[in-house]
Amino acid sequence: MSHAPESQPPESSSTDGAASGLDNAKSEIGSKISRSAIIGAIFLMATSAIGPGFITQTATFTAQMGAAFAFAIFASILIDIAIQLNIWRMVTSSGKRAAQLASSAVPGSGILLSVLIVVGGLAFNIGNIAGGGLGLNALLGIDPKLGGLLTGVLAIGIFLFKRAGKVVDAVVLVLGVGMIILTCVVAIVSNPPVGEAIKQSFVPDTINFATVTTIVGGTVGGYITYSGAHRYLDSGKTGPENAGSVMRSALSGILVTGVMRYVLFLAILGVVASGVALDLDSSVANPAGQAFAAVLGDAGMRIFGAIFWAAALSSVIGAAYTSATFLSAFSKRLEGGWPLQLATVSFIVVSLVVYLVLGTAPATLLVFVGGFNGLILPIGLTIFMYIGWFRPRLLRTDSYPKWLLIIGTAATLVTWYTATQSIGPIFAMIGIGG
């Protein structure tokens, strides 16, 4: 009779120990998932902001404006800070995706926002596929149209075969680091006029609103505005209590991309200042690739082509997926699973078909899509500034930080002004109006 009571404590202790171990294991797994999602959010925003569009835009505008383009780079970084800090904080504090949050504040605005993001994302993805074509042209010398077709088909295959996505992420990360190193080498070897670039950043000889709108649209417009914030939701660290971590993550991504933008600009500026003329208009124009080739020769062009293509491929997948998530505003069935996968694949197919029949030179197309997304950017920002000023309860707080509202509102007004000033020149890039 005495054995039963004596045997109970060890059983209980063993059970408690197992439960504790299981809880610790779950906590460790959850922590890893959380860290992975946070790093993924930073990386997603950074790679989206330095894709084939931005690289081509920088080369094109630097060739046209020289050191004066530094002002547009500087302005884009300031606007990025104001926009991303607000969007990241609002989305994560509310725990809702952008379209859901918008509709909670203004009924129907989530649908409007989704339409704009999907249309802008389609434009972005057409440009990303064009970038893939330029990359393979630089790497292998094949026709950009064929290169775009191969890029689109591979993106579809990668997305349908989920496990391949992890391999691609790793490869793109390695190539991304390679891109940074290669760009730094070119920036040093090309010997750019750094002093003049710094001066023009603050006191430019000329201000071109179309370039500011395009570069802002290409780095923070369209789906890019919400990609990092939406990815951060997967970390589970939502609510106002995690605002500090959210802000640090957003700022980290912005600073990385900001430094990279200046380094890339200086690399191209050094080449242009030396008297090298870049091809901006032909069907195989690849101004950034030409700049790298001018410094590193044929090998530089090949290496650049491989990295540029990898950036384009990852952007095709990222733009399609993020844009497709906004389609859930129209149907709950598109929130996940195979319906979302099929919607994403369909998005890539449509982008590819439009690119193949459009006939616009890839480099021109990459510049235009940044401008187009810069035009629609202020509409979404206006909705979120309204939420911050008048509906803070949706963000689970009684008072949203005033300093964020002030810089966010200022950025919104600036984007409205630059958009109205540049709508004509931007559409003139593809032969509409003028």
Side-chain angles (χ1 to χ4, degrees):
M1 296 288 292
S2 63
H3 292 290
E6 289 175 2
S7 64
Q8 280 301 110
E11 281 184 22
S12 176
S13 175
S14 175
T15 303
D16 289 346
S20 177
L22 183 59
D23 288 342
N24 288 337
K26 287 181 177 178
S27 176
E28 187 175 342
I29 292 172
S31 178
K32 287 181 179 179
I33 293 173
S34 175
R35 284 197 301 271
S36 176
I38 292 172
I39 294 173
I42 296 172
F43 183 70
L44 183 60
M45 183 180 76
T47 53
S48 296
I50 312 176
F54 173 76
I55 296 170
T56 304
Q57 291 156 17
T58 298
T60 299
F61 291 135
T62 302
Q64 293 173 345
M65 301 178 64
F69 182 58
F71 175 77
I73 297 282
F74 180 63
S76 75
I77 293 173
L78 294 181
I79 293 172
D80 280 8
I81 292 173
I83 293 172
Q84 291 288 10
L85 289 183
N86 274 288
I87 296 299
W88 278 53
R89 180 153 182 164
M90 288 185 180
V91 168
T92 57
S93 291
S94 69
K96 298 178 179 178
R97 296 196 182 276
Q100 295 173 311
L101 179 56
S103 286
S104 298
V106 183
S109 63
I111 298 291
L112 172 63
L113 183 62
S114 296
V115 169
L116 293 175
I117 296 302
V118 170
V119 172
L122 182 64
F124 252 128
N125 232 23
I126 295 168
N128 289 332
I129 291 173
L134 283 178
L136 289 181
N137 174 260
L139 176 63
L140 304 173
I142 64 176
D143 183 86
K145 289 275 186 180
L146 177 59
L149 175 62
L150 293 175
T151 301
V153 170
L154 184 58
I156 291 170
I158 288 171
F159 190 82
L160 290 177
F161 182 53
K162 275 192 162 184
R163 291 185 179 179
K166 294 182 178 180
V167 177
V168 171
D169 284 343
V171 172
V172 169
L173 178 60
V174 171
L175 290 176
V177 172
M179 179 68 180
I180 293 173
I181 295 173
L182 182 61
T183 306
C184 288
V185 170
V186 175
I188 294 171
V189 176
S190 67
N191 193 28
V194 178
E196 182 64 16
I198 293 174
K199 174 194 168 189
Q200 295 281 348
S201 295
F202 302 98
V203 189
D205 290 338
T206 180
I207 297 177
N208 187 316
F209 290 111
T211 63
V212 174
T213 302
T214 298
I215 211 69
V216 169
T219 55
V220 76
Y223 83 96
I224 300 173
T225 310
Y226 311 98
S227 60
H230 279 190
R231 181 73 178 95
Y232 201 99
L233 288 177
D234 296 335
S235 72
K237 292 191 173 185
T238 59
E241 65 273 15
N242 289 299
S245 173
V246 170
M247 302 287 273
R248 286 191 295 273
S249 297
L251 204 53
S252 297
I254 293 167
L255 291 177
V256 168
T257 57
V259 170
M260 185 59 186
R261 286 177 209 174
Y262 260 111
V263 172
L264 178 63
F265 160 66
L266 289 173
I268 306 294
L269 180 62
V271 173
V272 172
S274 70
V276 175
L278 302 181
D279 175 15
L280 304 178
D281 301 315
S282 75
S283 62
V284 294
N286 189 349
Q290 293 164 37
F292 277 61
V295 176
L296 300 178
D298 185 64
M301 174 65 91
R302 305 291 178 187
I303 296 171
F304 174 82
I307 296 170
F308 193 75
W309 177 71
L313 179 62
S314 62
S315 295
V316 169
I317 297 170
Y321 179 76
T322 305
S323 299
T325 60
F326 275 86
L327 293 175
S328 63
F330 305 100
S331 173
K332 293 290 185 183
R333 288 184 297 176
L334 295 174
E335 288 185 349
W338 270 107
L340 179 59
Q341 283 185 289
L342 292 175
T344 307
V345 169
S346 299
F347 199 88
I348 298 174
V349 170
V350 172
S351 304
L352 178 58
V353 171
V354 173
Y355 163 67
L356 292 175
V357 301
L358 201 58
T360 303
T364 302
L365 192 57
L366 283 167
V367 176
F368 168 75
V369 294
F372 179 78
N373 279 281
L375 295 178
I376 66 177
L377 175 62
I379 299 173
L381 293 181
T382 301
I383 297 172
F384 284 92
M385 287 303 100
Y386 166 78
I387 292 172
W389 282 109
F390 304 108
R391 302 294 301 278
R393 289 290 181 89
L394 293 174
L395 309 177
R396 293 191 267 180
T397 181
D398 291 327
S399 179
Y400 187 76
K402 289 293 186 291
W403 70 273
L404 278 175
L405 286 174
I406 291 171
I407 65 172
T409 302
T412 302
L413 293 174
V414 169
T415 57
W416 270 116
Y417 180 74
T418 57
T420 57
Q421 293 295 310
S422 58
I423 187 168
I426 285 173
F427 277 97
M429 293 177 188
I430 55 172
I432 299 176

